[in-house]
Amino acid sequence: RKEVEQDPGPFNVPEGATVAFNCTYSNSASQSFFWYRQDCRKEPKLLMSVYSSGNEDGRFTAQLNRASQYISLLIRDSKLSDSATYLCVVNGRNSGNTPLVFGKGTRLSVIA
Amino acid sequence: DTGVSQNPRHKITKRGQNVTFRCDPISEHNRLYWYRQTLGQGPEFLTYFQNEAQLEKSRLLSDRFSAERPKGSFSTLEIQRTEQGDSAMYLCASSLAGSNNSPLHFGNGTRLTVT
């Protein structure tokens, strides 16, 4: 089983739609979880951290399910500018946040 | 600009040549990481430093690769005898140690093409 697995997509959704991405991780001792966004030919940028109780940032909601070892990202009211690849990131060790392991990413295209 | 800085942005080299990339992290960050990314893949961990100490190296880092961070500030990644399979985006990131939830901040990357 890969350390971090994501559905590669692409997800093609109309503007205004709600879209959800899931990610599973293999290390039950992982402590740090993030979603990064990566635009084409650009570096990854932190979208949001994922906390145990779940957290929301505007149109974005992240959830963590430790029992099932998955995290999710929900995007409401999709905008054209949300088109990007979304990377699930998990720390692969028991302590600290190193090394962070990235999934392959899920591509999202929001269509007008 | 106080972000992570990498140079060069692009490097084209012939197979067998040596190349060196530089990364300047965010000044107050004591951890520095190197990742490699190829098309359709997420970034893959190569190595990281805490201050000047290299704490971990991935098995992806063959003996042709060497990274240094001599004064705990900037870092260099050298690839000797480059191969076509080394063509990738090399990403540097930095973070603050001491917090489980300290995210990585990436530079723009160095895109290497080996011909």
Side-chain angles (χ1 to χ4, degrees), chain A residues 1-88:
Chain A
R1 182 179 174 185
K2 291 186 179 175
E3 287 189 84
V4 180
E5 292 203 68
Q6 295 183 249
D7 181 342
F11 284 60
N12 299 316
V13 302
E15 270 187 294
T18 296
V19 61
F21 308 137
N22 287 332
C23 163
T24 58
Y25 60 94
S26 61
N27 185 353
S28 59
S30 293
Q31 298 289 332
S32 300
F33 309 90
F34 307 94
W35 283 101
Y36 275 70
R37 171 197 169 124
Q38 187 170 27
D39 293 294
C40 189
R41 301 182 77 81
K42 300 279 190 179
E43 76 276 18
K45 292 187 177 175
L46 178 68
L47 179 66
M48 57 196 303
S49 301
V50 186
Y51 302 119
S52 296
S53 55
N55 48 299
E56 189 174 304
D57 182 2
R59 297 181 293 109
F60 299 84
T61 301
Q63 297 277 353
L64 167 63
N65 184 319
R66 286 189 186 274
S68 301
Q69 293 179 214
Y70 80 79
I71 66 175
S72 64
L73 176 68
L74 183 78
I75 305 175
R76 289 182 300 279
D77 188 24
S78 299
K79 312 289 185 193
L80 293 175
S81 58
D82 293 334
S83 298
T85 296
Y86 291 84
L87 298 161
C88 173

Side-chain angles (χ1 to χ4, degrees), chain B residues 6-39:
Chain B
Q6 291 187 248
N7 66 81
R9 292 292 303 275
H10 304 274
K11 178 71 178 177
I12 300 173
T13 191
K14 291 186 177 178
R15 188 161 49 99
Q17 298 295 304
N18 299 345
V19 294
T20 300
F21 311 141
R22 177 178 168 128
C23 172
D24 288 87
I26 293 171
S27 57
E28 58 267 29
H29 284 180
N30 51 1
R31 284 190 175 167
L32 185 149
Y33 308 77
W34 287 99
Y35 281 78
R36 180 175 70 187
Q37 188 174 25
T38 53
L39 197 63

Side-chain angles (χ1 to χ4, degrees), chain B residues 30-82:
Chain B
N30 51 1
R31 284 190 175 167
L32 185 149
Y33 308 77
W34 287 99
Y35 281 78
R36 180 175 70 187
Q37 188 174 25
T38 53
L39 197 63
Q41 303 294 317
E44 296 173 299
F45 170 76
L46 293 178
T47 187
Y48 91 97
F49 295 83
Q50 181 156 315
N51 301 313
E52 65 275 9
Q54 189 172 18
L55 296 188
E56 188 164 344
K57 292 194 286 188
S58 161
R59 61 182 178 276
L60 292 176
L61 211 67
S62 76
D63 56 7
R64 296 184 297 105
F65 288 69
S66 62
E68 294 182 345
R69 195 183 183 198
K71 296 182 180 177
S73 56
F74 75 91
S75 174
T76 57
L77 177 68
E78 181 183 17
I79 309 174
Q80 296 182 325
R81 305 181 304 282
T82 51

Side-chain angles (χ1 to χ4, degrees), chain B residues 87-103:
Chain B
S87 296
M89 175 75 88
Y90 289 84
L91 292 161
C92 176
S94 67
S95 75
L96 277 172
S99 166
N100 273 351
N101 256 358
S102 182

